[in-house]
Amino acid sequence: MSGPTPTPPQTLLQIVKSCDNFQLGARTEKVVPWLLSPSPCSAAVGLLRPEIVEQLRKEAQSSPSPSWYFGSDEAGKQWVSFADGIKTPSARSRVMKDLCERWRDTGLWPDEISPRKWRNELYPVYRNPFGPRDFPGENEDAHGDSLNYAFRMERAASGLFGIVTFGVHMTVYEEVEDGSDPSYNIWVPRRAATKQTWPGYLDNSVAGGIEAGLGVFDCVVKESMEEASIPEDVVRRYARPTGSVSYFFQTPRGWLQPEVEYVYELSLPPNSGVQPQPLDGEVESFELLPLKKVVELMRAGLFKYNCAVVIVDFMVRKGIITPDNEPDYQEIVTRLHGRFDYDRWAS
Amino acid sequence: MSGPTPTPPQTLLQIVKSCDNFQLGARTEKVVPWLLSPSPCSAAVGLLRPEIVEQLRKEAQSSPSPSWYFGSDEAGKQWVSFADGIKTPSARSRVMKDLCERWRDTGLWPDEISPRKWRNELYPVYRNPFGPRDFPGENEDAHGDSLNYAFRMERAASGLFGIVTFGVHMTVYEEVEDGSDPSYNIWVPRRAATKQTWPGYLDNSVAGGIEAGLGVFDCVVKESMEEASIPEDVVRRYARPTGSVSYFFQTPRGWLQPEVEYVYELSLPPNSGVQPQPLDGEVESFELLPLKKVVELMRAGLFKYNCAVVIVDFMVRKGIITPDNEPDYQEIVTRLHGRFDYDRWAS
């Protein structure tokens, strides 16, 4: 059977740390903030590694009207931004579209942005990643600079630019009365062996990235059908939001992925007859597993990195992990809700 | 009727911000880390404002064997620590006891540590505030330096030394089926007019600080009886931990209070007959209020600062605040789980 190889059991904190594994300033490679406009006070929307900065420099040098600006101040602080003329959402989105398609077609960073890795999903980029998820609609420039929305870009390039990405994760479970304490059986999918990312790994019951313009709950509804064949009326009736997790992930190749996952749960009533089933080919199969078994598989490294933290969050919320039974409780809880050192991105 | 004066309605983010209102480095007054031992690499356990550093200097100068060490390196980084000879938990606790009692009796900072403000509760101080809540028992030095526990000190002085303090907050509520969505009635106490802090303000159903050596759930059990007359068997049966909130509060007088509150909830079954009632005089009265009313009172500034954030956390967890209905959702969620910039305390 294809899929990941088990590792020696990890603690819950180790699981969280392998997902929240990047800290700004605590490494040797110098990353440069990506700002919206040439002013150093402009909003930081991403973090660029040296090889990306170098490539953008090349592109700017070979163009008669460069799309990029390279700033630095007396203190040696550097930044990269869109060039002065690129100041509307649609202009920024166009620059990113041309750039990403060119990088895809010329084979730069093929592990990230090759035709095979291309997602064909446009992710929104916000001035403030913790602010409103607004969207101007089809006419991107209709609201000028009054929205938090700044532009959109191809999902596959998000790690190359270190932008904050947003997704949903929903745990679908059945509650079992087991003496005085409730226990939980959780629907666990295995990712298809053909997935571009994390093939064969275990996943959260329903999960997906939120494309520009889609509401968060609408995304849950959409993914529930596409990935798990759960009918819309069941989701609308039983699903509920319970918070979010956020963590700063650096991929094995060094790309930066600060992520926010809005967390939902769907408690299926006993004998509901609803069973998650694969639909769009992204998932190979679903299995209903006792939480205890899920934790075992998680500790053996068989879950996709960020699904494990969603399950840890579930266990905190349900009182399975407690301040009295888990020595790393407070570090786990705070690391599930990281701010990405965001105040330091541009300063 | 005595008590706080209502303010114009605040947003939920404003409520969170008035509790999580301090950021290291974003202010003019320079705070100095308080380390355990003279080495600059030793664990940071607190943050000292200039007037405290000055007072400690005076005390060290007038003593033949000073308890304090004042360090600085070439880069201008300063720190204060226990002096070289003070290296066991019991020695540190003794220094803090003498110091706090002297400050109490001589009337330094009477708003913090006068006889009227004295709490007579010993709070634990840990090497790593996010680490294990271990405790050596009566013989403080039994484990040498192998525990996370470092020493204990009078609660009233915690703000003067900027140590991380730990408490419990439990929301006691009744769930009401109201059509398809559940709604909640919450037991809300009013603090006694004679309380040393926040007299007359509304509070969380059960709340209290955790003294050195007390288990977290044991503290919930104890406070439930002392503050709300809820019998132990009811708490043990129905209460459950649901996470924690942590925030960096600066008092109106400028004192630093980074706090961790372990969050519990107790859902009273319909017709349980259990009703929270004042017992030890800390609470004036209890009222069962619909969540909607609670939010209104919260927005009018009538709740103690940190009780409001516990209710905001409740609303996130119960899906009342959602990523789609609250523009500040992600900032609220992350600010409920702050790390206090802890990695910067000593660096």
Side-chain angles (χ1 to χ4, degrees), chain A residues 167-234:
Chain A
V168 297
H169 274 245
M170 182 160 73
T171 304
V172 181
Y173 66 95
E174 293 175 9
E175 196 170 326
V176 194
E177 285 299 334
D178 176 15
S180 63
D181 289 325
S183 74
Y184 304 92
N185 292 326
I186 294 181
W187 283 102
V188 177
R190 178 184 298 277
R191 295 165 72 88
T194 52
K195 279 284 280 186
Q196 293 128 313
T197 53
W198 303 83
Y201 276 80
L202 301 174
D203 206 323
N204 217 276
S205 321
V206 171
I210 309 172
E211 287 190 72
L214 193 60
V216 182
F217 190 62
D218 291 337
C219 181
V220 173
V221 169
K222 173 173 167 279
E223 296 286 343
S224 295
M225 176 47 78
E226 286 179 4
E227 290 197 349
S229 320
I230 306 174
E232 174 163 351
D233 62 313
V234 172

Coordinates of all heavy atoms in Angstrom, one line a residue, chain A residues 167-234:
Chain A
G167 N -7.7 28.6 4.8 CA -8.4 27.4 4.5 C -9.5 27.1 5.5 O -9.6 27.8 6.5
V168 N -10.2 26.0 5.3 CA -11.2 25.5 6.3 C -10.8 24.1 6.6 O -10.3 23.3 5.7 CB -12.6 25.6 5.7 CG1 -13.0 27.0 5.5 CG2 -12.8 24.7 4.5
H169 N -11.0 23.7 7.8 CA -10.9 22.3 8.2 C -12.1 21.9 9.1 O -12.4 22.6 10.0 CB -9.6 22.1 9.1 CG -8.4 21.9 8.3 ND1 -7.7 20.7 8.3 CD2 -7.8 22.7 7.4 CE1 -6.6 20.8 7.5 NE2 -6.7 22.0 6.9
M170 N -12.8 20.8 8.7 CA -13.9 20.4 9.5 C -13.7 19.0 10.0 O -13.4 18.1 9.1 CB -15.2 20.5 8.7 CG -16.4 20.2 9.6 SD -18.0 20.8 8.9 CE -18.2 19.7 7.5
T171 N -13.9 18.8 11.2 CA -13.8 17.4 11.8 C -15.3 16.9 11.9 O -16.1 17.4 12.5 CB -13.2 17.4 13.2 OG1 -11.9 18.1 13.1 CG2 -13.1 16.1 13.8
V172 N -15.5 15.8 11.1 CA -16.8 15.1 11.1 C -16.7 13.9 12.1 O -15.8 13.1 11.9 CB -17.2 14.7 9.7 CG1 -18.6 14.0 9.8 CG2 -17.2 15.9 8.8
Y173 N -17.6 13.9 13.1 CA -17.4 12.9 14.1 C -18.8 12.4 14.6 O -19.8 13.0 14.4 CB -16.5 13.4 15.3 CG -17.1 14.5 16.1 CD1 -17.9 14.3 17.2 CD2 -17.0 15.8 15.6 CE1 -18.4 15.3 17.9 CE2 -17.6 16.9 16.3 CZ -18.3 16.6 17.5 OH -18.8 17.6 18.2
E174 N -18.7 11.3 15.4 CA -19.9 10.8 16.1 C -19.5 10.8 17.6 O -18.4 10.3 17.9 CB -20.3 9.4 15.6 CG -20.8 9.5 14.2 CD -21.1 8.2 13.5 OE1 -21.1 7.2 14.2 OE2 -21.4 8.2 12.3
E175 N -20.4 11.3 18.4 CA -20.1 11.2 19.8 C -20.7 10.0 20.4 O -21.8 9.6 20.1 CB -20.7 12.5 20.5 CG -20.2 12.8 21.9 CD -20.7 14.1 22.4 OE1 -20.8 15.1 21.6 OE2 -20.9 14.2 23.6
V176 N -19.9 9.3 21.2 CA -20.4 8.0 21.8 C -20.4 8.2 23.3 O -19.4 8.6 23.9 CB -19.4 6.9 21.5 CG1 -20.0 5.5 21.8 CG2 -18.9 7.0 20.0
E177 N -21.5 8.0 24.0 CA -21.5 8.0 25.4 C -20.9 6.8 26.0 O -21.3 5.7 25.7 CB -23.0 8.1 25.9 CG -23.6 9.5 25.8 CD -22.9 10.6 26.5 OE1 -22.3 10.4 27.6 OE2 -23.0 11.8 26.1
D178 N -19.8 7.0 26.7 CA -19.0 5.9 27.2 C -18.8 6.1 28.7 O -17.9 6.7 29.1 CB -17.7 5.9 26.4 CG -16.7 4.8 26.9 OD1 -17.2 3.9 27.6 OD2 -15.5 4.9 26.6
G179 N -19.8 5.6 29.5 CA -19.8 5.9 30.9 C -20.1 7.3 31.1 O -21.0 7.9 30.5
S180 N -19.3 8.0 31.9 CA -19.6 9.4 32.2 C -19.0 10.4 31.1 O -19.6 11.4 30.8 CB -19.1 9.8 33.6 OG -17.7 9.7 33.6
D181 N -17.9 10.0 30.6 CA -17.2 10.9 29.6 C -17.6 10.5 28.2 O -17.7 9.4 27.8 CB -15.7 10.8 29.7 CG -15.2 11.4 31.0 OD1 -15.8 12.4 31.4 OD2 -14.2 10.9 31.6
P182 N -17.9 11.6 27.4 CA -18.1 11.3 26.0 C -16.9 10.8 25.3 O -15.8 11.3 25.6 CB -18.6 12.6 25.4 CG -18.1 13.6 26.3 CD -17.9 13.0 27.6
S183 N -17.0 9.9 24.3 CA -15.8 9.6 23.5 C -16.2 9.9 22.0 O -17.4 10.1 21.7 CB -15.2 8.3 23.7 OG -16.1 7.3 23.1
Y184 N -15.2 9.9 21.2 CA -15.5 10.4 19.8 C -14.9 9.4 18.8 O -13.8 8.9 18.9 CB -14.8 11.7 19.6 CG -15.3 12.7 20.6 CD1 -14.6 12.9 21.8 CD2 -16.4 13.5 20.4 CE1 -15.0 13.8 22.8 CE2 -16.9 14.4 21.3 CZ -16.2 14.6 22.5 OH -16.6 15.4 23.5
N185 N -15.7 9.2 17.7 CA -15.3 8.5 16.5 C -15.2 9.5 15.4 O -16.1 10.2 15.2 CB -16.2 7.3 16.1 CG -16.2 6.2 17.2 OD1 -15.2 5.9 17.8 ND2 -17.4 5.6 17.4
I186 N -14.1 9.5 14.7 CA -13.8 10.5 13.7 C -13.7 10.0 12.3 O -13.0 8.9 12.1 CB -12.5 11.3 14.1 CG1 -12.8 12.0 15.5 CG2 -12.1 12.3 13.1 CD1 -11.6 12.8 16.0
W187 N -14.3 10.6 11.4 CA -14.2 10.2 10.0 C -12.8 10.7 9.4 O -12.6 11.9 9.3 CB -15.3 10.8 9.2 CG -16.6 10.0 9.4 CD1 -17.7 10.3 10.2 CD2 -16.9 8.7 8.8 NE1 -18.6 9.4 10.1 CE2 -18.2 8.3 9.3 CE3 -16.3 7.8 7.9 CZ2 -18.8 7.1 8.9 CZ3 -16.9 6.6 7.6 CH2 -18.1 6.3 8.1
V188 N -12.0 9.8 9.0 CA -10.6 10.1 8.6 C -10.5 9.7 7.1 O -10.6 8.5 6.8 CB -9.6 9.4 9.5 CG1 -8.2 9.7 8.9 CG2 -9.7 9.9 10.9
P189 N -10.2 10.6 6.2 CA -9.9 10.3 4.9 C -8.4 10.0 4.6 O -7.6 10.6 5.3 CB -10.3 11.5 4.1 CG -10.2 12.6 5.0 CD -10.3 12.1 6.4
R190 N -8.1 9.2 3.6 CA -6.7 9.0 3.2 C -6.6 9.8 1.8 O -7.5 9.6 0.9 CB -6.4 7.5 3.0 CG -5.0 7.3 2.4 CD -4.7 5.8 2.2 NE -4.7 5.1 3.4 CZ -3.7 5.0 4.3 NH1 -2.6 5.6 4.0 NH2 -3.9 4.3 5.4
R191 N -5.6 10.6 1.7 CA -5.5 11.4 0.5 C -5.1 10.5 -0.7 O -4.3 9.5 -0.5 CB -4.4 12.5 0.6 CG -4.7 13.5 1.6 CD -3.5 14.3 2.1 NE -3.1 15.2 1.0 CZ -3.5 16.5 0.9 NH1 -4.5 17.0 1.6 NH2 -3.0 17.2 -0.1
A192 N -5.6 10.8 -1.9 CA -5.3 10.0 -3.0 C -3.8 9.9 -3.3 O -3.1 10.9 -3.0 CB -6.0 10.6 -4.3
A193 N -3.3 8.8 -3.8 CA -1.9 8.6 -4.1 C -1.4 9.6 -5.2 O -0.2 9.8 -5.4 CB -1.6 7.2 -4.5
T194 N -2.4 10.1 -5.9 CA -2.1 11.0 -7.1 C -2.1 12.5 -6.7 O -1.9 13.4 -7.5 CB -3.1 10.8 -8.2 OG1 -4.4 11.0 -7.6 CG2 -3.0 9.4 -8.8
K195 N -2.4 12.9 -5.4 CA -2.4 14.3 -5.0 C -1.1 14.9 -5.2 O 0.0 14.3 -5.0 CB -2.8 14.4 -3.5 CG -4.3 14.3 -3.2 CD -5.1 15.5 -3.5 CE -4.9 16.6 -2.5 NZ -5.9 17.7 -2.8
Q196 N -1.1 16.2 -5.6 CA 0.2 17.0 -5.8 C 0.9 17.1 -4.5 O 2.2 17.1 -4.5 CB -0.1 18.4 -6.3 CG -0.7 18.5 -7.7 CD -2.0 19.3 -7.7 OE1 -2.8 19.1 -6.9 NE2 -2.1 20.2 -8.7
T197 N 0.2 17.2 -3.4 CA 0.9 17.4 -2.1 C 0.4 16.3 -1.2 O -0.7 15.9 -1.1 CB 0.5 18.8 -1.5 OG1 -1.0 18.9 -1.5 CG2 1.0 19.9 -2.4
W198 N 1.3 15.8 -0.3 CA 1.1 14.8 0.7 C 0.3 13.6 0.2 O -0.7 13.2 0.9 CB 0.4 15.5 1.9 CG 1.1 16.7 2.5 CD1 1.1 17.9 2.0 CD2 2.0 16.7 3.6 NE1 1.9 18.7 2.8 CE2 2.5 18.0 3.8 CE3 2.4 15.7 4.5 CZ2 3.4 18.3 4.8 CZ3 3.3 16.0 5.5 CH2 3.8 17.3 5.6
P199 N 0.7 13.0 -0.9 CA -0.1 11.8 -1.3 C -0.1 10.7 -0.3 O 0.9 10.4 0.3 CB 0.7 11.4 -2.6 CG 2.0 12.0 -2.5 CD 1.9 13.3 -1.7
G200 N -1.2 10.1 -0.1 CA -1.3 8.9 0.7 C -1.4 9.2 2.2 O -1.6 8.3 3.0
Y201 N -1.2 10.5 2.6 CA -1.3 10.8 4.0 C -2.8 10.9 4.5 O -3.7 11.1 3.7 CB -0.7 12.2 4.3 CG 0.9 12.1 4.4 CD1 1.7 12.0 3.3 CD2 1.4 12.1 5.7 CE1 3.1 11.9 3.5 CE2 2.8 12.1 5.9 CZ 3.6 12.0 4.7 OH 5.0 11.9 4.9
L202 N -3.0 10.8 5.8 CA -4.3 10.9 6.4 C -4.6 12.4 6.5 O -3.7 13.2 6.6 CB -4.4 10.2 7.7 CG -4.1 8.7 7.7 CD1 -4.0 8.1 9.1 CD2 -5.1 8.0 6.8
D203 N -5.9 12.7 6.5 CA -6.3 14.1 6.3 C -7.4 14.4 7.4 O -7.9 13.5 8.1 CB -6.8 14.4 4.9 CG -6.6 15.8 4.5 OD1 -6.8 16.7 5.3 OD2 -6.4 16.0 3.3
N204 N -7.8 15.7 7.4 CA -9.0 16.0 8.2 C -10.2 15.7 7.4 O -10.2 15.7 6.2 CB -9.0 17.5 8.6 CG -9.5 17.6 10.0 OD1 -10.7 17.8 10.2 ND2 -8.7 17.6 11.0
S205 N -11.4 15.4 8.1 CA -12.6 14.9 7.4 C -12.9 15.7 6.1 O -13.2 15.2 5.1 CB -13.8 14.9 8.3 OG -13.4 14.5 9.6
V206 N -12.9 17.1 6.3 CA -13.1 18.0 5.2 C -12.1 19.1 5.3 O -11.9 19.6 6.4 CB -14.5 18.6 5.2 CG1 -14.7 19.7 4.2 CG2 -15.6 17.5 5.0
A207 N -11.4 19.4 4.2 CA -10.5 20.5 4.3 C -10.2 21.1 2.9 O -10.3 20.4 1.9 CB -9.1 20.1 4.8
G208 N -10.0 22.4 2.8 CA -9.7 23.0 1.5 C -9.3 24.5 1.7 O -9.6 25.1 2.7
G209 N -8.6 25.0 0.7 CA -8.3 26.4 0.7 C -9.4 27.2 0.3 O -10.3 26.8 -0.4
I210 N -9.4 28.5 0.7 CA -10.5 29.4 0.4 C -10.1 30.3 -0.8 O -9.2 31.2 -0.6 CB -10.9 30.3 1.6 CG1 -11.1 29.4 2.8 CG2 -12.2 31.1 1.3 CD1 -11.3 30.2 4.1
E211 N -10.8 30.2 -1.9 CA -10.5 31.0 -3.0 C -11.0 32.4 -2.8 O -12.0 32.6 -2.1 CB -11.1 30.4 -4.3 CG -10.3 29.2 -4.8 CD -10.8 28.8 -6.1 OE1 -10.5 29.4 -7.1 OE2 -11.5 27.7 -6.2
A212 N -10.4 33.4 -3.5 CA -10.8 34.8 -3.4 C -12.3 34.9 -3.7 O -12.8 34.3 -4.7 CB -10.0 35.6 -4.4
G213 N -13.0 35.6 -2.9 CA -14.4 35.9 -3.1 C -15.4 34.9 -2.5 O -16.6 35.1 -2.5
L214 N -14.9 33.7 -2.0 CA -15.8 32.7 -1.4 C -15.9 33.0 0.1 O -14.9 33.2 0.8 CB -15.1 31.3 -1.7 CG -16.0 30.1 -1.4 CD1 -17.3 30.1 -2.3 CD2 -15.2 28.8 -1.7
G215 N -17.1 32.9 0.6 CA -17.3 33.0 2.0 C -16.8 31.8 2.7 O -16.6 30.7 2.1
V216 N -16.4 31.9 4.0 CA -15.8 30.8 4.7 C -16.7 29.6 4.8 O -16.4 28.5 4.5 CB -15.3 31.3 6.1 CG1 -14.5 30.2 6.8 CG2 -14.3 32.5 5.9
F217 N -17.9 29.9 5.3 CA -18.9 28.7 5.5 C -19.3 28.2 4.1 O -19.4 27.0 3.9 CB -20.1 29.2 6.3 CG -21.0 28.0 6.6 CD1 -20.5 27.0 7.5 CD2 -22.3 27.9 6.2 CE1 -21.2 25.9 7.8 CE2 -23.0 26.8 6.5 CZ -22.5 25.8 7.3
D218 N -19.4 29.0 3.1 CA -19.7 28.5 1.7 C -18.6 27.6 1.3 O -18.8 26.6 0.6 CB -19.8 29.7 0.7 CG -21.1 30.5 1.0 OD1 -22.0 30.0 1.6 OD2 -21.1 31.7 0.6
C219 N -17.3 27.9 1.7 CA -16.2 27.0 1.3 C -16.4 25.7 2.0 O -16.1 24.6 1.4 CB -14.9 27.7 1.7 SG -13.4 26.7 1.3
V220 N -16.8 25.7 3.3 CA -17.0 24.4 4.0 C -18.1 23.6 3.3 O -17.9 22.4 3.1 CB -17.5 24.7 5.5 CG1 -17.9 23.4 6.2 CG2 -16.4 25.5 6.2
V221 N -19.2 24.3 2.9 CA -20.3 23.6 2.2 C -19.8 22.9 0.9 O -20.0 21.8 0.6 CB -21.4 24.6 1.9 CG1 -22.5 24.0 1.0 CG2 -22.1 25.0 3.2
K222 N -19.0 23.7 0.1 CA -18.5 23.3 -1.2 C -17.6 22.1 -1.0 O -17.7 21.1 -1.7 CB -17.8 24.5 -1.8 CG -17.0 24.2 -3.1 CD -16.5 25.5 -3.7 CE -15.5 25.3 -4.8 NZ -14.1 25.1 -4.3
E223 N -16.6 22.2 -0.1 CA -15.6 21.2 0.1 C -16.3 19.9 0.7 O -15.8 18.8 0.4 CB -14.5 21.6 1.0 CG -13.6 22.8 0.5 CD -12.7 22.3 -0.6 OE1 -12.4 21.1 -0.8 OE2 -12.2 23.2 -1.4
S224 N -17.3 20.1 1.5 CA -18.0 18.9 2.1 C -18.6 18.0 1.1 O -18.5 16.8 1.1 CB -19.1 19.4 3.1 OG -18.5 20.1 4.2
M225 N -19.1 18.7 0.0 CA -19.7 17.9 -1.1 C -18.5 17.3 -1.9 O -18.5 16.1 -2.2 CB -20.6 18.7 -1.9 CG -21.2 18.1 -3.1 SD -21.8 16.4 -2.8 CE -23.4 16.7 -2.1
E226 N -17.6 18.2 -2.4 CA -16.6 17.8 -3.3 C -15.7 16.7 -2.8 O -15.3 15.8 -3.5 CB -15.7 19.0 -3.7 CG -16.4 19.9 -4.7 CD -15.6 21.1 -5.0 OE1 -14.4 21.2 -4.6 OE2 -16.1 22.0 -5.7
E227 N -15.3 16.8 -1.5 CA -14.3 15.9 -1.0 C -14.9 14.7 -0.2 O -14.3 13.7 0.0 CB -13.4 16.6 0.0 CG -12.5 17.5 -0.7 CD -11.3 17.9 0.2 OE1 -11.3 17.6 1.4 OE2 -10.4 18.5 -0.4
A228 N -16.2 14.9 0.3 CA -16.7 13.9 1.2 C -18.2 13.5 0.9 O -18.8 12.7 1.7 CB -16.6 14.4 2.7
S229 N -18.7 14.1 -0.2 CA -20.1 13.8 -0.6 C -21.1 14.0 0.5 O -22.2 13.4 0.6 CB -20.3 12.3 -1.0 OG -19.2 11.8 -1.7
I230 N -20.8 15.0 1.4 CA -21.8 15.3 2.5 C -22.8 16.4 1.9 O -22.3 17.4 1.5 CB -21.1 15.8 3.8 CG1 -20.1 14.8 4.2 CG2 -22.2 16.0 4.9 CD1 -19.2 15.3 5.4
P231 N -24.1 16.1 1.9 CA -25.0 17.0 1.3 C -25.1 18.3 2.0 O -24.9 18.4 3.3 CB -26.4 16.3 1.5 CG -26.1 14.9 1.9 CD -24.7 14.9 2.5
E232 N -25.4 19.3 1.3 CA -25.4 20.7 1.8 C -26.3 20.9 3.0 O -26.0 21.6 3.9 CB -25.8 21.7 0.6 CG -26.1 23.1 1.1 CD -26.1 24.1 -0.1 OE1 -25.8 23.7 -1.2 OE2 -26.4 25.3 0.2
D233 N -27.5 20.2 2.9 CA -28.5 20.5 4.0 C -27.9 19.9 5.3 O -28.2 20.4 6.4 CB -29.9 19.9 3.7 CG -29.8 18.4 3.4 OD1 -28.9 17.9 2.7 OD2 -30.6 17.7 4.0
V234 N -27.2 18.8 5.2 CA -26.6 18.2 6.5 C -25.5 19.2 7.0 O -25.5 19.5 8.2 CB -25.9 16.9 6.2 CG1 -25.2 16.3 7.4 CG2 -27.0 15.9 5.7

